[in-house]
Amino acid sequence: MWRVRRELAVFKILGALVCAGLAVYWWVEGDFRGVILAVPAAVLVGAMGLRDLLAPVRLAADESGITVVHGFAGKRHVPWESIWDIKVDVRRRWGVRSEMLEIDTGDNLHIFSPHELGASPTEVAAALRRRGT
């Protein structure tokens, strides 16, 4: 079972509260351009934090298949037979290396970042391949 780290969810919620506080401050000060920037930021970051609280487990594996988060906080079970490919997309940009886990089920492509998994996508892919065989 791979999940979002609890600290990351807390930071998102705190970030949303800071943005909301800035929106109130700028409203009182009469800076409406600041309000226009802070309110959508508070809503977006708050929604991301809420998703992390409602569906912290992004990927789980058992003997019958995997369960992935689908939509905002829904879940979808995928049997091992339906998984076409499990791979890690590695990219380098501006000297920074990033990894994303990709699970191809034919109909859907499920993509997970290291932050969503709370682990390295390379390690998760290896564990899934071992479990699926």
Side-chain angles (χ1 to χ4, degrees), residues 14-133:
L14 289 175
L17 291 174
V18 167
C19 289
L22 284 172
V24 170
Y25 172 75
W26 285 328
W27 179 269
V28 170
E29 291 293 315
D31 182 5
F32 298 112
R33 287 180 290 178
V35 174
I36 290 171
L37 291 174
V39 169
V43 171
L44 180 65
V45 175
M48 291 168 46
L50 181 62
R51 181 179 189 221
D52 289 350
L53 293 176
L54 293 176
V57 177
R58 294 292 202 261
L59 175 63
D62 59 19
E63 41 297 320
S64 65
I66 63 170
T67 303
V68 296
V69 170
H70 183 73
F72 185 75
K75 294 182 180 177
R76 174 179 285 172
H77 183 76
V78 180
W80 289 114
E81 304 82 44
S82 298
I83 297 174
W84 289 10
D85 192 21
I86 298 172
K87 70 178 188 173
V88 178
D89 182 34
V90 179
R91 295 179 188 238
R92 289 192 175 277
R93 182 173 223 148
W94 296 315
V96 177
R97 182 177 187 267
S98 66
E99 294 182 340
M100 299 292 277
L101 175 65
E102 296 179 357
I103 301 174
D104 187 0
T105 61
D107 295 333
N108 294 302
L109 181 64
H110 303 281
I111 301 173
F112 301 95
S113 72
H115 302 293
E116 288 181 302
L117 298 171
S120 166
T122 303
E123 295 170 6
V124 175
L128 289 174
R129 287 186 193 114
R130 281 192 306 272
R131 188 128 201 195
T133 55

